[in-house]
Amino acid sequence: MSKDASYYIKNGDTRRALAVRRVKTRTKVALSGTPAENGTEDLFWLIGWLTGFSSRYDDPVSDMSGKPRPFQGFGKAGYDHFRDYYGGGKKRAVLDIDSVQARVSNHEKLWEVLDSIMYRKKKLDADVQAHISVPKPEHHRYHVEMFSAEQEMYEKTVKAFSDWYELELMKKEAAEARGDVYRINTIEICSWMRKLQQAASCPWIFPDYDASKGVKTAKMQFLESKAVDLLRRNKKMLIFSGHKETIEYLTLALDNVVFGKRAEFIHGGVKKEDRWKLIERFQDPNDPLSILILSHRTGAESYTLTEAKAVFLFDLDFNGKRIEQCYSRAVRLGQRDVVDIWWLMNVGTIDVNMHGLCLSKISGVNLAIDREALDFEEIAEEFEGDALAVAKSMDMEQFAREMLKSGTTRSQIA
C-alpha cells in the first residue's frame, strides 16, 4: 500500500478503509513516512489491517481480576481501549493545556507490537543522512502582545462563550432535577473553539470588531515587517493558516508589499491544476511569486516548496503532526539553506493552548514511533516575543513555562 493510502485507513469506518479491507491477499505491506499523525490511536486500524484483524494482540485493558481479557475486536470498543491504554488516557480539553506532556502511555509495550510489524528509518539515521542532507531549520516560537481592538474582540468572544456555556449548565441542572439526561452539544463547543481561534487570528471578520482603533493586528504588523525584510533580500516565504478568511486577507495585504513581489494562496477552493501552476511559479527563483499562503489541510500534502527560506505559522491546527507536515514543504530534499520557522501566537489567547496541544501530540507520536520525545529544554530556547524585552540572562525554561500558561483557561469559560 502506498504512503498516502496507508494513512487513509487510519479511520476504519471510511469507505476507503472498508474497500481496502475487502481486498484478499496473503502479504500486506504499508509504506508511510507518517504512520501516526494526530496521536497513537492513528495506528489502531493500520495494525489491525496488517495483522489480519487477528487476536494476536490481547486487549491491553484487563478485567477486574487483573488477567488480560480476549481482544474485543477492531471495532469502537477496541479502538477506545487502544486509545486509552496507549494514547495517554482520556483526551484533555484544549483549554486545560498549560504544559507540554507527551500524549502517549505504556509506550514500551507499544514498541514491542511495532517491532514485530514495522521497519522504521528516520531522517537522522546515519545511512539516511548519507543520501539526504537537509539543513536543520531554526524554530522561533514568537509570542505577540495584541493591540487594544483585537484584545477587546477576543474578550467579547470569551464572554459570549461563557454566557452560552452557563446557560447550557442551567439547562443540564434543570434536566437532572426532572430526572432527565441533558448533554451539552460537543459540536457547539467545537464551534465556539473555532470562534476563539478566529477572534485570535482574524478578528476583522466579526461585525463588532472596532477597526477604528486600528485595522492591522499585532500579528499582521509583525508578519508584514518580516515579509518586507525577506523580500528585499529576494527570499521567498510560506504562510499557513487554518482559516479561509485569514488566507485570502493575507494575500491581499501582502501582495506587492514590496513592489513587484507577488502573493498567491492555495486552499481547498483552488483547483488541483491551478495549485500545481502556482507551485511551479513559486519554485522558479526568477518568478515574482514570492509569498505563498496555504491552508493547513492543503499545505500538508506532498508539495515541494524548497524555494521558501522562511515559514510562518499564522495560527495552529489541532493536529500537531499536520503542522510539522506544513513546514516540511520547505524543509525537505532539495533545500540548501537553513529555514526559519515562525510560530506566531497571541499571548492570552487560544493560540497558546493550541501550541501546547501541538507540542504534546508531536511529542507523544515521536515517543511512540521513534522513541524520542521532544526536548523541552531545547524548545524553551526557541521562545521569543514582545514579552521577552528583558536581559538575555533570564531563565528561558521558566519563561517558556509561563508563556504556555498564558492562554485561555477553562475557568474563564466555566
Side-chain angles (χ1 to χ4, degrees):
M1 182 180 293
S2 71
K3 171 185 174 181
D4 290 338
S6 62
Y7 178 72
Y8 284 136
I9 69 168
K10 74 179 182 67
N11 186 341
D13 296 327
T14 63
R15 287 188 295 177
R16 191 195 304 264
L18 292 171
V20 169
R21 282 155 52 187
R22 283 196 291 268
V23 176
K24 304 298 182 183
T25 178
R26 294 175 59 186
T27 304
K28 298 173 183 177
V29 178
L31 301 177
S32 177
T34 313
E37 186 178 76
N38 199 38
T40 53
E41 60 266 27
D42 288 351
L43 295 167
F44 178 76
W45 286 100
L46 191 56
I47 290 174
W49 178 74
L50 287 170
T51 59
F53 299 96
S54 67
S55 58
R56 177 177 171 187
Y57 301 115
D58 290 336
D59 189 328
V61 180
S62 301
D63 61 20
M64 296 299 291
S65 68
K67 297 179 180 178
R69 61 190 178 189
F71 193 77
Q72 294 194 11
F74 281 82
K76 185 178 185 305
Y79 174 85
D80 289 342
H81 295 157
F82 189 96
R83 183 192 65 198
D84 292 346
Y85 192 73
Y86 293 123
K90 298 293 184 181
K91 294 183 178 180
R92 293 174 66 200
V94 175
L95 299 184
D96 289 337
I97 299 294
D98 61 2
S99 62
V100 178
Q101 298 176 352
R103 290 286 192 90
V104 66
S105 51
N106 298 296
H107 42 278
E108 293 88 352
K109 291 185 178 180
L110 182 58
W111 293 344
E112 294 177 10
V113 174
L114 295 177
D115 283 347
S116 68
I117 59 174
M118 184 175 74
Y119 177 70
R120 180 74 167 165
K121 298 299 295 182
K122 299 179 292 184
K123 292 179 183 178
L124 298 179
D125 290 347
D127 54 340
V128 175
Q129 286 190 315
H131 299 282
I132 301 175
S133 179
V134 178
K136 184 179 179 180
E138 289 190 4
H139 290 266
H140 310 268
R141 303 176 193 276
Y142 201 88
H143 290 74
V144 185
E145 296 282 358
M146 292 190 291
F147 297 151
S148 61
E150 52 183 319
Q151 180 73 53
E152 290 174 10
M153 188 65 253
Y154 189 81
E155 289 175 357
K156 283 182 182 179
T157 308
V158 171
K159 179 64 166 58
F161 186 7
S162 177
D163 291 344
W164 172 84
Y165 193 72
E166 185 177 349
L167 183 59
E168 288 295 297
L169 289 177
M170 291 172 61
K171 291 178 181 178
K172 184 176 181 180
E173 289 174 2
E176 290 175 348
R178 298 191 306 268
D180 297 332
V181 176
Y182 185 87
R183 298 186 185 281
I184 300 177
N185 194 316
T186 303
I187 296 176
E188 282 287 335
I189 292 177
C190 290
S191 176
W192 277 107
M193 290 290 181
R194 180 169 176 79
K195 288 178 183 177
L196 287 180
Q197 288 180 278
Q198 290 173 320
S201 172
C202 47
W204 57 80
I205 72 170
F206 292 86
D208 50 346
Y209 176 65
D210 190 354
S212 66
K213 294 184 177 180
V215 177
K216 285 185 183 178
T217 63
K219 267 191 196 179
M220 187 63 220
Q221 181 171 289
F222 176 83
L223 182 63
E224 188 176 283
S225 67
K226 285 293 180 182
V228 170
D229 175 60
L230 287 163
L231 300 185
R232 283 177 176 169
R233 292 186 287 126
N234 290 317
K235 293 181 181 292
K236 297 191 176 188
M237 56 187 279
L238 300 175
I239 305 171
F240 291 92
S241 171
H243 310 290
K244 182 179 178 181
E245 303 91 344
T246 303
I247 292 167
E248 295 182 357
Y249 177 83
L250 291 178
T251 304
L252 291 173
L254 296 174
D255 190 41
N256 270 314
V257 68
V258 169
F259 182 73
K261 302 295 185 180
R262 307 307 306 271
E264 295 285 357
F265 67 82
I266 295 177
H267 56 47
V270 178
K271 295 180 180 179
K272 288 279 189 180
E273 56 268 28
D274 293 333
R275 297 179 194 181
W276 287 111
K277 289 177 183 178
L278 290 172
I279 289 169
E280 288 178 7
R281 287 182 55 198
F282 186 85
Q283 284 293 91
D284 181 352
N286 298 315
D287 194 288
L289 177 55
S290 302
I291 303 176
L292 198 54
I293 306 163
L294 305 97
S295 66
H296 296 145
R297 189 173 297 274
T298 303
E301 296 180 12
S302 300
Y303 300 134
T304 295
L305 297 165
T306 48
E307 276 300 306
K309 305 308 173 189
V311 178
F312 294 85
L313 303 170
F314 197 80
D315 47 64
L316 299 175
D317 190 81
F318 288 102
N319 187 324
K321 280 293 180 180
R322 179 175 292 159
I323 293 296
E324 278 195 342
Q325 288 296 310
C326 286
Y327 62 71
S328 292
R329 299 311 98 218
V331 186
R332 59 195 296 112
L333 186 62
Q335 181 59 262
R336 299 180 299 277
D337 302 306
V338 174
V339 177
D340 287 301
I341 300 166
W342 294 86
W343 303 60
L344 304 185
M345 292 158 276
N346 283 328
V347 176
T349 72
I350 196 172
D351 283 353
V352 179
N353 305 73
M354 298 289 288
H355 183 226
L357 179 70
C358 283
L359 292 180
S360 295
K361 287 188 173 183
I362 291 170
S363 187
V365 171
N366 287 359
L367 181 58
I369 296 176
D370 294 329
R371 308 186 186 191
E372 295 176 353
L374 294 179
D375 184 342
F376 182 74
E377 291 185 9
E378 180 179 330
I379 290 174
E381 295 294 328
E382 300 167 354
F383 277 68
E384 302 179 26
D386 297 342
L388 190 56
V390 293
K392 291 292 184 180
S393 60
M394 76 173 296
D395 185 338
M396 288 305 303
E397 187 168 347
Q398 181 60 34
F399 173 78
R401 295 189 187 283
E402 289 176 0
M403 286 296 99
L404 284 169
K405 294 179 180 179
S406 68
T408 302
T409 64
R410 177 189 286 265
S411 62
Q412 292 174 265
I413 306 299

